Amino acid sequence: MPTVTEHYDKLLAEHYSRMFGDHDAKVAEQRALFERLGVRPEGDSEAIDLGCGSGFQSLALAQLGFRVTAVDTSDKLLAELDSRRGQLPVDVVRGDLLDALESPGPPCALAVCMGDTLPHLGSKGDVERMFAGCARRLAPGGQLVLTFRDLTRELEGADRFIPVHDSADVIMTCFLEYEPETVKVHDLVHTRGREDGRWRLSASFYRKLRLSPEWVCDRLEAAGFRVLHREIARGLVTLVARSGGGVGRDTNTGSEPCAGG
């Protein structure tokens, strides 16, 4: 079975950014999200972006005034981020997310793990290790922002085939197979040849963890965080937590409840 890194290297990294449309527009969307969540630097603030991809969150945070350490395992995606960062204070690091949290570095005011990166970890134990690593890396009162897909609810039949992107030369579809603790995510990419115009299929799969919002909230609190903000919109969970149980606004918005905290 391909690992997450192998899946991205073999197939997904080449097409990753196109799934989200215009790159600059996605960065602006993420900046607006951080502003809505009340995420802002205080002076010379450090942030670490765990699973940065091509930089939607890293660039948004740098625009807001953070100095960002952007961590990912994909050379292709990090190269794209490097080409887009310009003079923004973004340091690109290739490496495993858990290893990055154990590496020496200054205390961070903010850690983010966004998109759907959290379920990419190898086990629930690794998720708990990441939360513990963030608690150690963050300065007292530092914040952790998470987004992830709630895959605990199973789609059925044809709903398991999810259109991802279509253009004149690329069509991307995702197919889900549910297992007790994970979901096998099959990415199907059809590309049209430039010379002969023929369509060709490339396919690969990897596994994502099925993480419920309730379990994640519980494990955050066990690691010493207080969940300040929780929302679920169209299956995407957004959580903001503060290290050390700091005092802050506790809200719960969206169309579905998220227990814990």
Side-chain angles (χ1 to χ4, degrees):
M1 185 194 75
T3 65
V4 173
T5 299
E6 290 168 344
H7 178 80
Y8 272 73
D9 287 345
K10 175 184 176 181
L11 180 66
L12 201 56
E14 181 179 354
H15 306 285
Y16 178 82
S17 291
R18 74 172 72 238
M19 294 191 295
F20 301 94
D22 181 79
H23 197 283
D24 291 340
K26 186 66 176 180
V27 172
E29 173 196 286
Q30 294 301 290
R31 177 171 177 170
L33 172 62
F34 288 129
E35 290 174 334
R36 177 172 68 82
L37 295 174
V39 174
R40 62 181 63 87
E42 296 181 3
D44 188 17
S45 296
E46 298 279 342
I48 185 167
D49 184 357
L50 301 165
C52 62
S54 58
F56 301 132
Q57 291 80 30
S58 292
L59 297 176
L61 290 170
Q63 290 174 5
L64 287 171
F66 287 94
R67 171 170 286 281
V68 183
T69 299
V71 184
D72 206 283
T73 59
S74 172
D75 288 324
K76 289 180 181 178
L77 292 177
L78 290 174
E80 183 177 353
L81 170 55
D82 189 48
S83 71
R84 293 179 181 275
R85 63 179 170 170
Q87 299 302 309
L88 289 171
V90 178
D91 297 324
V92 174
V93 176
R94 186 190 186 284
D96 177 81
L97 310 188
L98 299 177
D99 291 341
L101 289 170
E102 298 296 334
S103 300
C108 292
L110 176 70
V112 304
C113 183
M114 299 180 70
D116 201 25
T117 298
L118 193 64
H120 286 60
L121 293 174
S123 67
K124 286 185 174 179
D126 284 344
V127 175
E128 293 177 299
R129 285 180 58 202
M130 195 196 87
F131 292 166
C134 288
R136 290 191 296 269
R137 187 68 178 268
L138 286 169
Q143 290 187 319
L144 171 62
V145 179
L146 303 172
T147 65
F148 60 96
R149 291 280 171 193
D150 181 359
L151 298 174
T152 59
R153 300 181 181 183
E154 297 188 12
L155 300 176
E156 297 180 351
D159 289 341
R160 294 177 297 161
F161 290 85
I162 303 170
V164 176
H165 169 83
D166 66 273
S167 61
D169 299 316
V170 180
I171 300 174
M172 303 177 67
T173 306
C174 180
F175 169 65
L176 305 180
E177 282 188 282
Y178 292 91
E179 301 171 326
E181 296 294 328
T182 60
V183 177
K184 286 176 68 175
V185 180
H186 301 259
D187 284 313
L188 314 175
V189 181
H190 287 85
T191 55
R192 188 197 296 270
R194 293 183 179 180
E195 296 183 359
D196 59 14
R198 296 179 59 185
W199 287 95
R200 295 173 174 82
L201 171 64
S202 299
S204 180
F205 76 92
Y206 66 114
R207 284 183 167 89
K208 284 185 178 181
L209 296 172
R210 302 179 69 177
L211 304 174
S212 72
E214 294 79 10
W215 184 88
V216 172
C217 289
D218 179 73
R219 292 299 87 199
L220 282 170
E221 292 181 352
F225 287 93
R226 178 186 175 192
V227 178
L228 304 177
H229 178 89
R230 311 181 289 272
E231 65 183 58
I232 305 177
R234 297 183 299 277
L236 184 70
V237 182
T238 301
L239 298 174
V240 181
R242 177 167 292 166
S243 67
V247 176
R249 180 172 58 94
D250 189 350
T251 62
N252 184 5
T253 63
S255 58
E256 303 173 49
C258 174

